[in-house]
């Protein structure tokens, strides 16, 4: 183990030479009974990309919000260039020279790019000048932007650029980035890494939060690992392996997934045949003649950048939106015109991306949420119009135990569960049925490493029992871990599913960018 | 004075209170707050304006007092919904009931008393021009103020940083907070501005439209103003057009009755609301219109985490 405890001087790693820009000492933050940050200390140096690692709920976001002035610590001190400071608001943080690129975009959809950026800059910035500066900076860093575009019209990759350019225009000395690459193609991410490198050469400090450990190993000079609100260790990520980093985060070894041999091709259990649908409004994507077969025994994954039709495709497959009769077939039966319940009865199960509000009703207890998707799938939950609450309670206990769903009290309301636990529950609810066809959108979105490994293992196990599993995901690591075949969705068009062994990240990246499409289009035109 | 000119003059007086109340509410809603208490703030403005004009003899003092009355109710609304995060719809409805009740009680002594009329400003020479003279240059001060307000609100909302902040708060209060904008302060100020405008609109009724106090004299104009904001898809210039259109429809009721057209007056008085529903249907079909103009945080409570 090369990690040291935070009290030891960081003896390992490349020389940490930069001056300490921002130092937090003994930061404590309490929410009710929960200690979100417990005596956390971190020192960020100029010219260094500093990774902040930890599972969901480890206290990373709390710490970052404190550093950015959005939260007030209950204890501890902040030191900016050796001077003790209080950062009472984000505006004060910006005045010191701290910029932040948010994970959940903090953009205003109804406003233009220039207006969004103007809001983060000091008063008195003339709009006309600003547009020119935006063009200049975005060109300099290879992050092209149109200042007059309205954010609502822009895809997520571009929105991430706005966040970054907005941050750069503040000319910060410290940039905090929360999961900046989660919506970027591999190529776009590479571009971002070049930008970051350039910034560090200019003397900028960067605090980098990411769940993607390979990425952290590649670009970060130093890492602080948090668990349960405490700093567990510091290390040089380049000298660690992804597995050793994950072990520090989780506190125990994360088991490698057991894939087992892929069974011989089973029967086609889910088939999409020429599935098309027009865009459902300006922010939605048209689905363009999607053909896909998922056989029993395999996991097929659909990769793609957010906003390329994943949600629309999921709606069509699950029956939230209807299509022509034969375009969706479950176990050989035409289901395109059947609703969700009919498709569930045919043996399919669906887990949408948004777990709270779509996958589960926030104000209902878990047992009630079970009834909502399983009322007519032969579980005996509804008898003569009455809900069998005892039976629902039994199921709730079974799912809770089998999937390790943790909650403060029995049969809690869905909204009381943490994101990872609720995700375990909504996936467990469907897996518990042993469905013949399972369609999952973003199975481990925002779920920590331990829970993600469990969910992925369950998906593989289900397929190996003869079910067809279709996973829509933006996480390439996840896709390569679980998928037997991979297809890529780009602007509503699905590439042919190819065996995972022959797919490379580069190729997926090109398909995500619609490169193949364009070439195809060119030949058509010629 | 021709018949046409007479009708046009009455349309202006009918449109002005709608315009005043609606332009205030537009700013309030742009900041993400839905204040359904416009009717209540208007009627309190009407009675207080009347009372102050009686006491001082000056309609301008009356107008000022009407604004203050509207702002007082708005402050109460702001305290309940912004500070205590009470439900905006319920609080707004309660505010309307409170305003109607209070105004009825205060105004009991004034029923049947002649009021002080806000005189038209005659701009020499110009107001004597044929046809357009009286209409353009012979109106009272509040008519000009209402038009100036539309221009000012348009400019501020879309060309200044203050307006940008208001729109940002209405679009995404979480992000605005994260950027260091004081969401509550912006909303308090917007709500107070809305109260002042609604109060002034009420004052216009009891000082210029019919210079006397009649219980319930707002007669649902606060609700029309609310509908107008939606009708205008939160854009001030469309609001101006809408106010004059709705004002004209209101006037048409009288003329239709007077001339015995076969249109039931109930139909005409329902027209503004029917038009609003039609507009709602049209804009909700065009999502880009809805998305860009509708304040996304409208009516949503904001609790900063700290």
């Amino acid at each position: 183990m090369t990690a040291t405890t935070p009290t030891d001087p960081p003896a390992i790693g490349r020389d940490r030479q930069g001056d300490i820009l921002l130092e937090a000492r003994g930061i404590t933050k309490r929410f009710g009974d929960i200690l979100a940050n417990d005596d956390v200390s971190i020192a960020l140096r100029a010219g260094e990309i500093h990774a902040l690692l930890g599972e969901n709920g480890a206290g990373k976001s709390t710490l970052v919000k404190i550093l950015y002035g959005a939260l007030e610590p209950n204890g501890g001190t902040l030191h900016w260039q050796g001077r003790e400071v209080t950062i009472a608001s984000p505006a004060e943080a910006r005045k010191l020279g701290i910029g932040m690129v948010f994970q959940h975009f903090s953009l205003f959809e109804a406003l233009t790019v220039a207006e969004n950026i103007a809001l983060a800059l000091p008063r008195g910035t003339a709009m006309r000048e600003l547009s020119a500066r935006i063009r200049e900076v975005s060109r300099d860093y290879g992050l092209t932007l149109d200042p007059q575009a309205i954010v609502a019209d822009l895809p997520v990759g571009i929105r991430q650029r706005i966040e970054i350019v907005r941050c750069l225009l503040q000319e910060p000395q410290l940039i905090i980035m929360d999961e900046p690459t989660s919506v970027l193609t591999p190529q776009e991410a590479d571009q971002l890494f070049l930008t970051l490198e350039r910034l560090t050469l200019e003397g900028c400090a960067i605090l980098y939060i990411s769940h993607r450990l390979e990425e952290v190993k590649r670009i970060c000079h130093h890492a602080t690992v948090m668990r349960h609100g405490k700093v567990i260790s510091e290390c040089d990520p380049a000298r660690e392996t992804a597995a050793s980093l994950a072990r520090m985060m989780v506190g125990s070894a994360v088991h490698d997934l057991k894939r087992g041999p892929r069974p011989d091709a089973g029967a086609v259990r889910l088939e999409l045949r020429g599935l098309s649908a027009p865009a459902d409004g300006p922010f939605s994507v048209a689905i363009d003649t999607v053909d896909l077969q998922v056989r029993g025994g395999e996991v097929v994954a659909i990769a793609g950048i957010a906003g390329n039709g994943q949600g629309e495709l999921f709606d069509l497959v699950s029956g939230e939106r209807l299509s022509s009769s034969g375009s969706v077939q479950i176990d050989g039966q035409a289901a395109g015109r059947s609703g969700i319940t009919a498709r569930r009865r045919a043996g399919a199960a669906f887990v949408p991306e948004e777990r709270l509000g779509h996958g589960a009703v926030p104000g209902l207890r878990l047992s009630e949420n079970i009834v909502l998707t399983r009322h007519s799938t032969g579980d005996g939950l509804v008898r003569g119009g009455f809900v069998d609450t005892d039976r629902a309670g039994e199921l709730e206990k079974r799912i809770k135990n089998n999937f390790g769903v943790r909650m403060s009290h029995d049969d809690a309301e869905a909204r009381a569960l943490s994101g990872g636990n609720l995700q375990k529950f909504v996936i467990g609810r469907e897996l518990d049925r042993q469905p013949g066809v399972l369609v999952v959108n973003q199975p481990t979105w925002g779920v920590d490493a331990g829970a993600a490994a469990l969910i992925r293992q369950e998906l593989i196990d289900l397929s190996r029992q003869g079910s067809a599993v279709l996973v829509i995901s933006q996480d390439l690591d996840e896709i390569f871990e679980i998928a037997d075949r991979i297809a890529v969705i780009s602007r509503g068009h699905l590439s042919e599913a190819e065996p995972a062994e022959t797919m490379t990240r580069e190729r997926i990246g090109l398909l995500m960018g619609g490169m193949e499409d364009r070439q195809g289009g060119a030949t058509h035109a010629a | 004075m021709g018949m046409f000119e007479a009708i046009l003059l009455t349309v202006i007086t009918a449109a002005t209170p709608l315009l005043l109340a609606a332009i205030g509410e537009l700013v309030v809603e742009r900041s993400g707050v839905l204040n359904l208490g416009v009717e209540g703030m208007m009627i309190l403005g009407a009675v207080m304006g009347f009372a102050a004009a009686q006491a001082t003899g000056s309609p301008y003092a009356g107008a000022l007092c009407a604004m203050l009355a509207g702002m007082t109710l708005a402050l109460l609304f702001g305290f309940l919904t912004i500070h205590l995060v009470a439900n905006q719809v319920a609080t707004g409805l309660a505010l309307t009931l409170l305003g109607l009740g209070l105004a009825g009680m205060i105004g009991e002594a004034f029923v049947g008393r002649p009021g002080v009329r806000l005189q038209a400003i005659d701009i020499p020479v110009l107001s004597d021009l044929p046809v357009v003279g009286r209409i353009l240059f012979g109106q009272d001060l509040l008519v000009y103020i209402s038009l100036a307000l539309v221009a000012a609100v348009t400019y501020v909302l879309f060309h200044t940083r203050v307006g940008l902040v208001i729109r940002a708060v209405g679009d995404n209060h979480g992000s605005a907070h994260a950027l260091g904008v004081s969401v509550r302060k912006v909303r308090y100020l917007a709500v107070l501005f809305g109260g002042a405008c609604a109060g002034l609109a009420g004052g216009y009724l009891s000082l210029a439209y019919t210079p006397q106090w009649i219980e319930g004299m707002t007669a649902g104009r606060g609700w029309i103003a609310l509908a107008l904001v939606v009708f205008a898809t939160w854009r001030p210039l469309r609001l101006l057009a809408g106010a004059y259109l709705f004002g004209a429809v209101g006037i048409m009721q009288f003329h239709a009755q007077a001339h015995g057209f076969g249109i039931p007056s109930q139909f005409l008085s329902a027209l503004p609301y029917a038009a609003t529903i039609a507009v709602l249907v049209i804009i909700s079909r065009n999502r880009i219109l809805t998305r860009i103009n509708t304040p996304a945080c409208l009516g949503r409570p904001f609790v900063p985490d700290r």
Side-chain angles (χ1 to χ4, degrees), chain A residues 28 41 43 61 87 95 114 123 128 171 250 262 351 426 488:
Chain A
T28 300
S41 298
S61 322
I87 305 177
K95 231 175 274 166
R123 278 156 216 275
R128 209 162 302 150
E171 290 168 7
V250 181
R262 183 174 157 199
V351 182
V426 291
V488 178

Side-chain angles (χ1 to χ4, degrees), chain A residues 255-263 297-300 456-457 459-465 477-486 499-501:
Chain A
H255 294 293
D256 282 340
L257 295 188
K258 291 190 274 290
R259 294 268 300 259
R262 183 174 157 199
E298 68 171 351
V299 178
V300 173
R456 289 170 191 162
Q457 185 66 57
L459 294 175
I460 293 173
D461 290 351
L462 179 73
S463 77
R464 296 306 182 249
Q465 288 158 24
D477 294 336
E478 167 171 276
I479 285 177
F480 277 109
E481 255 181 273
I482 64 173
D484 298 305
R485 287 192 297 140
I486 301 172
E501 304 84 60

Side-chain angles (χ1 to χ4, degrees), chain A residues 97-161:
Chain A
I98 304 174
M100 169 113 193
V101 176
F102 293 90
Q103 175 190 15
H104 298 290
F105 299 118
S106 63
L107 297 177
F108 304 94
E109 298 212 347
L111 306 184
T112 66
V113 172
E115 287 175 330
N116 265 281
I117 291 173
L119 279 164
L121 298 178
R123 278 156 216 275
T125 326
M127 276 311 247
R128 209 162 302 150
E129 266 170 54
L130 183 62
S131 292
R133 266 178 75 201
I134 292 169
R135 281 209 186 84
E136 193 183 311
V137 169
S138 63
R139 194 168 358 95
D140 265 13
Y141 287 92
L143 302 161
T144 320
L145 280 181
D146 170 13
Q148 298 317 319
I150 287 172
V151 173
D153 298 336
L154 300 175
V156 278
I158 306 284
R159 294 188 191 195
Q160 184 66 274
R161 278 188 203 170

Side-chain angles (χ1 to χ4, degrees), chain A residues 29 31 65 68-72 87-91 94 102 105-111 115-116 118-125 127 150 152-153 166 170 280-283, chain B residues 30 157-181 185 285-296 304-306:
Chain A
K29 176 70 186 176
F31 292 108
K65 281 184 184 161
Y68 192 57
L71 279 178
E72 214 172 12
I87 305 177
S89 73
R94 282 201 302 272
F102 293 90
F105 299 118
S106 63
L107 297 177
F108 304 94
E109 298 212 347
L111 306 184
E115 287 175 330
N116 265 281
L119 279 164
L121 298 178
R123 278 156 216 275
T125 326
M127 276 311 247
I150 287 172
D153 298 336
R166 172 160 81 178
Q170 296 161 21
D280 186 23
F283 305 110
Chain B
R30 276 280 185 177
L157 268 185
F158 299 106
H159 299 280
T160 69
R161 188 181 174 89
V162 171
L164 184 57
V165 167
I166 292 173
R167 285 185 292 141
V169 167
D171 187 53
N172 188 340
H173 49 216
S175 297
H177 177 67
L179 286 177
V181 174
K185 192 173 120 193
R285 280 186 62 81
N286 184 344
R287 288 201 196 174
I288 202 134
L289 241 178
T290 332
R291 189 63 167 271
I292 288 172
N293 289 318
T294 313
D305 50 344
R306 191 66 215 165

